[in-house]
Amino acid sequence: MFENLKPVAIDPILGLMVAFKADTRSEKIDLGVGVYQDDHGRTPVMAAVKEAESRLMVLETTKSYQGMAGDPEYNQRMMELLFGEGHSILNSGRVKSIQAPGGSGALRVGAEVVRKARPESKLWIGVPTWPNHIPLLGSAGFEINQYPYYDMASRQINVQAMMDTLRTVPAGDMVLLHGCCHNPTGADLTHDQWDEIADIALERGFIPFIDTAYQGLGDGLHEDAYGMRMMAERLPEVVIASSCSKNFGLYRERTGSITFIAETPERADVVVSQAMSTARSIYSMPPAHGALLVSMVLGDPQLRSQWQAELEEVRLRVKAMRGLLCDSLQDNDAGMDFSHINRQKGMFSFLGITTPQLERLRNEFGIYIVSSTRINLAGVNSNNIEYLKQSLLTVLR
Ligand code: LMR
């Protein structure tokens, strides 16, 4: 039977990670996969997480099953993190959240539930988006439509074209939005643009499906949540997939949440029962370890403030690398403008170079960049900036 299968090309982002690891050049630079690196190119475990881990070693008394929704305390704390303590939605009974295996697992459970609720719903995805959105959500059975998001030429959001397309979305369809730190462009919606999308959603009757994987890495934990907090106040239905991979550095622990806002508390209960049944039919229940750490960090005032300080350090380092790279490339001989990098947010921006230039960077200099020219700014550091600059200037010449 397996003779019928054809080999599948490795995922463009995770494949790059493998190729980078296999590269033996000492000067190599990883600007590929979206993983935080410190100024030494390391991806450390956050100290608050490490402390929670050592406490958990002592406190944990069982490894018995937790159930399809994961840890109830984690679910509550994640909703408070997403919406902010005191947000009116939290006491409305209209919002329910379950733990999911990472942001990807959350997206998939959300998609499956929406497909059950309304099989004819289409999913509208901005162009460009995280490349895995399409296989991940498409294989839930969605028909995917596109709306324009980023304009390569002006290096900013194509606001007019995006809003014009959203004004054509039929009632009951889903619109995928990035909560903050847009992946791959780093071009985030302003508050006014979020408000306008909410107006259009109300007018047209489409439902936002917000993917928020970088809360705290853009402008701050509170600031990065503007869109979903506002939509939670104004719209009858919203779906939010969130991840703790980046802001807690828990990548391999697969720690995420899928959160549903329904029109009434009764409907929210039904939706969450469907989400649990979906989980049961795919993976039964999410892994416990990462969520137990997150709930301990968020629930302990000392660990929480330590975590917030560490996250702020991460955010500011990535922001500083944006400035450093822009300054280094200013007035380059090729006359290329990289100033957009300094205006954008989170881990990513497009470099905007050509494919042959990108290939030269990898082959000749060991600098790994996703084929869309997306770079992870966290891969830049004070030790490699000069090499990166010289390599880039060479291929631009
Ligand atoms: C990325 O975009 O690089 C990350 O979200 C990792 C992944 O799974 O693609």
Side-chain angles (χ1 to χ4, degrees), residues 322-339:
R322 289 185 173 278
L324 185 64
L325 187 60
C326 273
D327 291 350
S328 313
L329 297 175
Q330 222 175 14
D331 305 324
N332 59 80
D333 296 343
M336 251 185 96
D337 178 19
F338 292 100
S339 61

Side-chain angles (χ1 to χ4, degrees), residues 11 13-14 32-34 130 183 214 246 348 374:
D11 175 89
I13 295 175
L14 300 184
V33 67
W130 178 48
N183 180 2
Y214 296 86
K246 327 280 168 165
F348 308 117
R374 185 195 83 169

Side-chain angles (χ1 to χ4, degrees), residues 29-333:
I29 304 179
D30 182 8
L31 304 181
V33 67
V35 166
Y36 177 70
Q37 298 169 43
D38 65 15
D39 199 48
H40 305 286
R42 292 188 291 243
T43 303
V45 182
M46 289 173 121
V49 168
K50 203 74 188 150
E51 171 60 24
E53 220 152 28
S54 71
R55 290 189 199 174
L56 191 62
M57 280 262 282
V58 179
L59 294 174
E60 196 171 47
T61 54
T62 181
K63 296 273 188 196
S64 179
Y65 291 128
Q66 261 189 334
M68 286 99 73
D71 177 33
E73 191 179 325
Y74 165 84
N75 294 335
Q76 181 59 31
R77 297 206 186 283
M78 281 303 286
M79 286 193 286
E80 288 164 7
L81 183 67
L82 293 177
F83 300 114
E85 279 170 57
H87 191 293
S88 59
I89 196 75
L90 291 172
N91 292 322
S92 68
R94 290 175 45 225
V95 64
K96 290 268 153 48
S97 184
I98 67 166
Q99 193 186 316
S104 299
L107 284 162
R108 185 55 181 264
V109 172
E112 297 279 347
V113 171
V114 169
R115 294 273 308 143
K116 283 187 197 157
R118 202 171 180 279
E120 65 277 26
S121 275
K122 296 189 195 65
L123 177 68
W124 294 72
I125 292 189
V127 179
T129 194
W130 178 48
N132 200 33
H133 273 146
I134 294 159
L136 182 59
L137 299 167
S139 48
F142 271 122
E143 183 184 326
I144 294 181
N145 281 2
Q146 298 182 330
Y147 65 87
Y149 186 77
Y150 187 74
D151 176 46
M152 292 291 199
S154 63
R155 298 183 168 157
Q156 55 192 357
I157 303 174
N158 193 345
V159 183
Q160 189 65 47
M162 170 176 69
M163 300 298 181
D164 285 350
T165 307
L166 293 182
R167 284 197 175 82
T168 69
V169 173
D173 278 7
M174 304 294 294
V175 172
L176 186 73
L177 298 163
H178 295 224
C180 63
C181 306
H182 187 269
N183 180 2
T185 69
D188 278 359
L189 297 165
T190 63
H191 291 190
D192 286 350
Q193 289 159 0
W194 274 107
D195 291 347
E196 189 174 346
I197 295 174
D199 291 342
I200 304 173
L202 279 169
E203 209 174 282
R204 301 290 310 172
F206 66 70
I207 297 126
F209 191 166
I210 305 176
D211 180 3
T212 187
Y214 296 86
Q215 189 183 354
L217 277 94
D219 288 329
L221 274 174
H222 171 72
E223 295 79 352
D224 292 346
Y226 175 82
M228 62 185 168
R229 291 181 183 179
M230 174 275 299
M231 285 189 164
E233 252 168 43
R234 294 189 53 203
L235 300 184
E237 295 181 326
V238 184
V239 180
I240 301 169
S242 54
S243 166
C244 299
S245 294
K246 327 280 168 165
N247 53 9
F248 285 86
L250 283 170
Y251 310 91
R252 63 174 67 169
E253 302 294 354
R254 311 313 299 140
T255 308
S257 293
I258 181 72
T259 302
F260 300 92
I261 295 176
E263 233 171 328
T264 64
E266 296 70 30
R267 284 190 197 165
D269 288 339
V270 174
V271 179
V272 87
S273 74
Q274 285 284 351
M276 289 197 291
S277 141
T278 301
R280 180 66 170 152
S281 69
I282 314 178
Y283 53 80
S284 268
M285 61 198 73
H289 187 69
L292 291 174
L293 301 176
V294 169
S295 105
M296 193 183 289
V297 169
L298 292 177
D300 179 291
Q302 180 250 323
L303 289 184
R304 189 186 174 113
S305 65
Q306 185 180 10
W307 166 68
Q308 281 188 210
E310 285 180 87
L311 178 59
E312 188 61 3
E313 211 177 284
V314 164
R315 183 180 82 79
L316 292 175
R317 199 190 96 70
V318 178
K319 194 169 149 67
M321 291 307 105
R322 289 185 173 278
L324 185 64
L325 187 60
C326 273
D327 291 350
S328 313
L329 297 175
Q330 222 175 14
D331 305 324
N332 59 80
D333 296 343

